[in-house]
Amino acid sequence: MAIPSANLLISALTIFILVSASFATSETPFLVVHKKATLNRLKSGAERVLVSFDIYNQGSATAYDVTLTDKTWIKKTFELVNGNKSRTWERLDAGGIVSHSFELEAKVKGPFYGAPALVTFRVPTKAVLQQAYSTPILPLNILADIPPMDPLALRVLAKYGSLVSVISMVVLFVYLIATPSKPNAAKAGSKKKR
């Protein structure tokens, strides 16, 4: 009874692997969109956000009419300084990469949580537009009060930090070697009382 069930399970698994392999080898584009935002504090006290995108086509076919749209940055919070929040490319070949960036100036102080950007593209074999989303960005602390760093502490840490860690590892090793183990105590606790 167990052998026919095992044969059925093996057959189903084999069919699943063959079907998924046929989908994996089909010629389609596969877009990976990396979104990155970096803060830049100006001497005037204003803060600018540089947003950059890298779009990779990891698939085996060309993507056509690739459109990037980032609606995360609302006008009351950010002002567009340089570039556009959306961009269109005619095609993105298999294994290709395209990049886009724009710069914003922050108007409001506080934490900001951005959503992924949307990328739409067309595949010649399908009538419906395909969608891909970018990676999300880490929360940004816009116009945050940054405490001043003590440059002396940073220099001391950079100069002697590795030396302190090596010395502490050597001391720990010597302590472990020099400390006698108590094998009799371990044996006495494990003996059964009769």
Side-chain angles (χ1 to χ4, degrees):
M1 187 71 173
I3 293 176
S5 299
N7 287 341
L8 179 64
L9 182 64
I10 291 172
S11 300
L13 186 62
T14 305
I15 290 171
F16 175 73
I17 289 172
L18 291 175
V19 168
S20 39
S22 68
F23 282 123
T25 59
S26 65
E27 297 223 358
T28 60
F30 181 75
L31 299 186
V32 177
V33 185
H34 178 66
K35 178 180 180 180
K36 182 179 178 187
T38 54
L39 295 174
N40 185 15
R41 178 75 57 108
L42 303 177
K43 291 188 186 226
S44 65
E47 194 158 36
R48 292 205 173 164
V49 181
L50 178 65
V51 183
S52 60
F53 295 93
D54 292 322
I55 303 174
Y56 305 90
N57 184 354
Q58 298 294 321
S60 58
T62 301
Y64 294 96
D65 300 329
V66 179
T67 302
L68 168 70
T69 307
D70 191 6
K71 296 182 180 179
T72 302
W73 314 97
I74 53 179
K75 193 147 182 103
K76 70 176 186 177
T77 309
F78 296 96
E79 179 182 339
L80 187 64
V81 176
N82 189 12
N84 292 318
K85 295 181 198 174
S86 62
R87 173 88 192 265
T88 301
W89 295 270
E90 185 179 328
R91 63 187 287 155
L92 179 55
D93 294 326
I97 179 175
V98 291
S99 297
H100 177 63
S101 63
F102 56 89
E103 192 171 17
L104 305 156
E105 188 165 326
K107 295 180 183 178
V108 178
K109 180 180 181 178
F112 177 76
Y113 302 93
L118 174 67
V119 175
T120 58
F121 59 97
R122 188 175 50 79
V123 179
T125 58
K126 297 181 180 176
V128 179
L129 278 177
Q130 306 296 307
Q131 293 182 343
Y133 290 95
S134 71
T135 55
I137 59 171
L138 295 174
L140 300 173
N141 202 357
I142 306 292
L143 297 170
D145 297 327
I146 302 170
M149 296 294 290
D150 183 18
L152 178 64
L154 290 176
R155 282 188 295 192
V156 168
L157 180 65
K159 190 171 184 178
Y160 298 110
S162 60
L163 181 65
V164 169
S165 65
V166 168
I167 289 174
S168 63
M169 282 189 252
V170 169
V171 167
L172 179 63
F173 179 74
V174 168
Y175 173 76
L176 290 174
I177 297 297
T179 304
S181 63
K182 300 178 182 176
N184 292 338
K187 288 181 184 175
S190 64
K191 288 184 181 179
K192 292 183 180 179
K193 294 181 179 178
R194 293 187 183 193

